[in-house]
């Protein structure tokens, strides 16, 4: 992977873990590796999709727990 | 409009130097720590001629504060002195800059004379100038004289380019690049080199040159069918309009810290002032185009005007430095030839 791609991953992870310092640092780093704000926003969308997807599939845990105690 | 027309305090080189001298580690100390103080020239490999500040664009980062309202322009007499100086030496490269150098009425004469002396000539072109009605035959002229076109293009997308260079500039730049490509510029083995120059659209350092060149090559061809030979990255120098941007947006201290923290002794060893002599529109001599805009002429031990050109003295002169020089020594370095520490 290129340095630019690694920085985009780091930016996405920074958003997933919601680290404000990391977001500032990797925003600057992404720009300095040649990414543009649209690409960086796309990376954040990927992070959001993964986080959102993980929340959704945890719904199964809820459904299973509810089923167990329900008639 | 230029800072000068706006009567902005930063249009005065003295005010820029006053701002730059505030508080940060002196550049001379950084040089001394890496055994490079005093910095001296290693000869003259490039004669960079700034033929004036007139330009058809008013870019937000311009270190010249150039624009349509600027009237400083090199006379034929001074251009003749430049050619006389070239004739005395074997300086291989003539780098013509501005403003938009093509708008100087003596530009074509200068190119013809320098080419007749067998020198490699570079035209630092803003691209949109090729579309002016008065310059309709400019591309053909450049091709006929085998002039290297060194063209400014900060990014391969319209939004970023126009944000820095003005609305509509990206579309005009593309049209100009297509015109140059049609003449053979940018095509391998045509003998018509087309070099793109990219500088960051904001207060951050440029990407690694080789990586950005690969991105540009892929995107320019895929999106627009445009080809070029090579790409140079240039760091935005904290002077003139870019300094005004840094101060106005509260980015100045952080940017200077970034430049200072990124000081690279290898980049400092290769700075362009060591092998370049810069001529101002009035014939005054400088170590580089940035010193020229800060009104910092060559040291007193060397001749100060092109009429007194002395290649031996000038080729071993002591370079005049300042805090702005951190702009050329940060990271992979920066020069009119791009990064000074080239990577694979």
């Amino acid at each position: 992977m290129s340095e630019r791609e690694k920085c985009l991953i780091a930016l996405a992870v920074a958003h997933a873990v919601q680290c404000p310092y990391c977001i500032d640092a990797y925003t600057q780093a992404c720009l300095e590796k040649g990414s543009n704000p649209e690409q960086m926003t796309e990376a954040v969308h990927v992070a959001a999709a993964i986080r959102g997807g993980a929340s959704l599939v945890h719904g199964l845990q809820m459904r299973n727990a509810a089923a167990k105690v329900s008639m | 409009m230029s800072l000068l027309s706006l009567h902005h305090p930063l249009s005065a080189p003295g005010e820029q130097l006053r701002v730059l001298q505030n508080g940060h580690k002196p550049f001379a100390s950084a040089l001394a720590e890496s055994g490079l103080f005093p910095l001296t020239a290693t000869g003259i490999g490039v004669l960079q001629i700034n033929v004036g500040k007139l330009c058809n664009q008013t870019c937000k980062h311009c270190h010249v504060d150039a624009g349509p309202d600027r009237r400083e322009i090199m006379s034929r007499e001074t251009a003749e002195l430049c050619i006389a100086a070239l004739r005395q030496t074997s300086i291989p490269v003539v780098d013509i800059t501005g403003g938009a150098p093509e708008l100087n009425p003596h530009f074509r004469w200068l190119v013809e004379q320098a080419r007749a002396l067998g020198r490699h000539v570079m035209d630092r072109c803003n691209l949109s100038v090729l579309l002016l009605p008065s310059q309709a035959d400019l591309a053909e002229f450049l091709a006929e004289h085998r002039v290297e076109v060194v063209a400014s293009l900060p990014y391969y997308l319209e939004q970023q380019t126009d944000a820095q260079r003005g609305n509509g500039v990206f579309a005009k730049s593309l049209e100009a690049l297509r015109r140059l490509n049609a003449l053979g510029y940018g095509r391998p083995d045509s003998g018509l080199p087309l070099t793109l120059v990219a500088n960051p659209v904001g207060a951050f350092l440029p990407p690694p040159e080789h990586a950005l060149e690969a991105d540009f090559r892929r995107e320019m061809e895929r999106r627009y069918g445009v080809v070029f030979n090579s790409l140079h990255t240039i760091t935005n120098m904290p002077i003139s309009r870019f300094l005004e941007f840094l101060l106005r947006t509260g980015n100045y201290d952080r940017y200077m810290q970034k430049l200072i923290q990124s000081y690279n002794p290898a980049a400092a060893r290769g700075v362009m002032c060591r092998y370049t002599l810069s001529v101002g529109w009035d014939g005054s001599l400088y170590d580089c185009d940035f010193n020229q805009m800060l009104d910092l002429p060559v040291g007193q031990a060397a001749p100060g005007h092109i009429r007194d050109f002395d290649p031996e003295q000038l080729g071993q002169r002591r370079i005049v430095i300042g805090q702005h020089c951190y702009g050329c020594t940060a990271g992979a370095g920066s020069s009119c030839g791009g990064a000074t520490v080239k990577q694979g």
Side-chain angles (χ1 to χ4, degrees), chain B residues 211-223:
Chain B
L212 193 67
E213 181 177 298
D215 288 348
F216 262 65
R217 201 176 291 289
R218 183 186 65 248
E219 298 297 328
M220 292 298 286
E221 184 148 25
R222 184 174 70 87
R223 292 169 186 261

Side-chain angles (χ1 to χ4, degrees), chain A residues 2-4 24 28 30-39, chain B residues 155-157 159-160 203-208 212 215 254 258:
Chain A
S2 67
E3 289 179 56
R4 191 179 71 80
D24 277 353
Q28 179 92 9
C30 280
L31 290 168
E32 290 184 351
K33 298 299 178 196
S35 287
N36 59 58
E38 287 71 29
Q39 292 166 334
Chain B
Y155 206 65
Y156 54 78
L157 295 177
Q159 187 181 342
Q160 283 74 18
F204 48 92
L205 293 181
L212 193 67
D215 288 348
R254 202 161 51 107
K258 180 90 184 175

Side-chain angles (χ1 to χ4, degrees), chain B residues 49-55 64 66-67 70-75 96-104 279-282 289 292-293:
Chain B
I49 306 173
N50 190 315
V51 294
K53 300 184 181 183
L54 175 64
C55 189
V64 178
R70 298 303 298 261
R71 292 291 173 264
E72 301 89 335
I73 204 147
M74 183 177 277
S75 67
I96 308 179
T97 188
E102 305 87 348
L103 297 181
N104 181 309
V279 189
W281 66 273
D282 61 354
D289 208 48
Q292 185 177 140
M293 299 314 148

Side-chain angles (χ1 to χ4, degrees), chain B residues 139-155:
Chain B
E140 286 78 8
F141 171 84
L142 295 171
E144 184 192 339
H145 292 87
R146 321 301 278 178
V147 174
E148 177 180 357
V149 174
V150 183
S152 303
L153 191 71
Y155 206 65

Side-chain angles (χ1 to χ4, degrees), chain B residues 27-42:
Chain B
F27 183 70
S29 305
L31 278 183
E33 284 167 18
S34 40
L36 287 166
F37 186 82
L39 194 66
T40 50
T42 54

Side-chain angles (χ1 to χ4, degrees), chain B residues 112-128:
Chain B
E112 286 163 353
Q113 297 297 310
R115 290 295 295 137
L117 291 172
R119 313 305 161 88
H120 178 78
V121 175
M122 299 158 79
D123 171 27
R124 294 203 175 265
C125 180
N126 70 13
L127 291 173
S128 69

